[in-house]
Amino acid sequence: GALQKILLEALPSTTRVELGKRLTNIRAIDDGNGATCTFNNDESSGPFDIVCGCDGIQSAVKQYVDTHRISDDAGSKQNALYSGIRIRYSIEDCLEQASDVAELRQYFGDGAYGLFGTYGAGEGETRKRGAYLIFNDKDYIGPFPKKNAQSEADTVAAAAEATEAADENAEWTEAGQRDMMKADTLLRMKESGLPDEELRPVVEAADKFFELGVYFHNPFSFRGWSRKVKGTKDAYACLLGDSAHSMPPFLGQGANQAIQDAYCLATKIAEHNAIVAQDFAPGEETASTDAGTNSRPTTLGRLLKEYETLRWLPTTSITLKSIFLGYLETGGEGVPSKLRDGVFFTLGKLGIATKVFLDGATPRV
């Protein structure tokens, strides 16, 4: 919430912000000179030249870009791939005097790893301490649901049931739930052989547990990140952040890349506005579109493709590295764990590990 608060407070006072709505349709206005957005409460907003989809991994705008329509289940992660990796968070207030410097330490086990961290929660808020357990979903082998030897129908049903379970965004705050998750988390740590000098005290004292599945988007999307709104002359839906390139969190680059997307897209929009202002300057002949009508020049689609071209390669590279890193770090007992330890030792000695992390954090806009 701290980052969202900072971003919200940075907006101009005239900015319209509405919460609790779900996008259900994007459509052209009657004369084709713009698009409107319809929401689940039947309200509409617009017209717009661009509908920017910053609506995360369950993006309705991405569904529109992919299919030219938004279905009733647009928020069901249907455009995302489940990795078979889960993250369980154990959070407690850090009541004693603590350094203002955030800490994060990583511990490896067999088939799981743990993170210990202390960090701020925003101005005036109590600092937090967290223990994070990253582990493999027992119903999956990597991104693939486990199959049994039963009939095909039973296999499909089992896969659907496993997928449904993986979709849960579970949170446990009640006393009985906390005790259950505390015991399960400590057991998983013990079974994976995780060093628990820092992790165990946080888990035992945590007042909140919640769990997320790790999802990502296929970066090799046929439709790309933008599409002209059907029936308009030059209005577009476009994607940025997780809507465009949701990635596993194992390089810590999701928010960083989204901010870079926003900067790059804003630059292209400013370029488009400058072209429109120049071509529509008083006393000058109005530019024509391909259709031969007097309207703004059709530069927007080209500029959106330039934005995508500039940002696709760095975000795809980070996504693929994050996927690989997640499976490497959660390697099981025996050969996978030894392989992981050997890879990290070698990469560390060669300086490649540092380069991978710093390369991901280097702005490319």
Side-chain angles (χ1 to χ4, degrees):
L3 176 59
Q4 288 94 329
K5 183 179 179 182
I6 292 171
L7 295 174
L8 186 63
E9 291 175 348
L11 292 173
S13 59
T14 54
T15 303
R16 180 179 172 184
V17 177
E18 296 187 17
L19 303 175
K21 290 185 176 182
R22 179 172 56 84
L23 181 67
T24 58
N25 195 17
I26 303 172
R27 61 181 180 82
I29 61 175
D30 291 341
D31 63 5
N33 286 316
T36 60
C37 294
T38 304
F39 300 91
N40 59 322
N41 61 354
D42 294 328
E43 291 184 1
S44 295
S45 296
F48 305 111
D49 295 330
I50 310 177
V51 177
C52 297
C54 312
D55 46 342
I57 195 166
Q58 303 179 54
S59 172
V61 181
K62 177 174 175 56
Q63 187 181 101
Y64 184 87
V65 169
D66 287 346
T67 67
H68 251 160
R69 62 185 295 271
I70 299 174
S71 64
D72 293 337
D73 60 349
S76 64
K77 293 192 177 77
Q78 61 179 341
N79 291 315
L81 301 174
Y82 177 53
S83 67
I85 299 174
R86 303 194 69 75
I87 304 177
R88 184 175 296 170
Y89 301 76
S90 309
I91 309 297
E92 66 163 334
D93 288 339
C94 190
L95 300 178
E96 71 269 18
Q97 188 65 30
S99 169
D100 289 335
V101 178
E103 300 175 282
L104 189 64
R105 285 185 282 278
Q106 188 171 22
Y107 300 93
F108 289 112
D110 295 326
Y113 73 91
L115 293 170
F116 167 83
T118 60
Y119 51 90
E123 186 177 358
E125 298 293 331
T126 304
R127 289 176 62 81
K128 303 294 182 182
R129 180 183 289 123
Y132 316 107
L133 181 65
I134 298 87
F135 58 95
N136 293 313
D137 190 323
K138 63 181 177 61
D139 294 321
Y140 280 71
I141 300 175
F144 305 106
K146 289 182 178 179
K147 296 182 179 180
N148 54 37
Q150 300 178 20
S151 67
E152 182 178 352
D154 289 340
T155 300
V156 171
E161 183 179 353
T163 301
E164 183 179 357
D167 281 342
E168 294 178 359
N169 178 4
E171 180 175 350
W172 300 280
T173 55
E174 298 297 329
Q177 296 171 327
R178 288 201 306 269
D179 291 343
M180 177 186 67
M181 294 316 302
K182 183 184 302 182
D184 184 74
T185 303
L186 292 173
L187 178 61
R188 288 180 183 271
M189 289 166 50
K190 181 179 180 180
E191 290 177 342
S192 62
L194 277 173
D196 63 359
E197 289 82 1
E198 288 189 309
L199 299 173
R200 174 178 285 274
V202 177
V203 174
E204 291 178 338
D207 55 8
K208 177 182 288 188
F209 293 84
F210 62 98
E211 184 176 311
L212 300 172
V214 175
Y215 291 81
F216 59 92
H217 281 147
N218 179 1
F220 303 99
S221 170
F222 176 74
R223 288 294 182 183
W225 294 5
S226 63
R227 192 170 191 178
K228 181 182 284 190
V229 176
K230 191 174 181 179
T232 67
K233 297 174 181 176
D234 201 32
Y236 287 81
C238 71
L239 307 173
L240 60 159
D242 279 355
S243 302
H245 49 68
S246 181
M247 57 187 65
F250 306 116
L251 282 172
Q253 283 299 307
N256 187 0
Q257 298 307 311
I259 291 172
Q260 291 186 47
D261 288 349
Y263 179 90
C264 185
L265 180 59
T267 301
K268 294 300 180 182
I269 292 174
E271 184 177 343
H272 171 71
N273 290 342
I275 294 172
V276 172
Q278 180 180 3
D279 285 349
F280 284 179
E284 296 184 11
E285 184 176 351
T286 301
S288 297
T289 64
D290 294 338
T293 58
N294 288 335
S295 183
R296 66 178 184 273
T298 55
T299 61
L300 188 54
R302 173 178 59 81
L303 291 171
L304 290 176
K305 285 300 179 185
E306 289 180 4
Y307 148 71
E308 179 183 345
T309 299
L310 184 60
R311 295 294 302 143
W312 182 85
L313 185 58
T315 56
T316 296
S317 174
I318 292 171
T319 298
L320 296 177
K321 291 173 184 175
S322 296
I323 294 170
F324 171 76
L325 189 61
Y327 291 130
L328 181 66
E329 290 180 321
T330 55
E333 184 177 359
V335 173
S337 292
K338 287 181 170 56
L339 175 63
R340 175 199 64 209
D341 296 343
V343 168
F344 281 139
F345 178 81
T346 302
L347 295 183
K349 288 293 185 182
L350 296 176
I352 297 175
T354 300
K355 183 179 184 303
V356 168
F357 278 94
L358 292 180
D359 184 64
T362 302
R364 288 179 172 83
V365 292

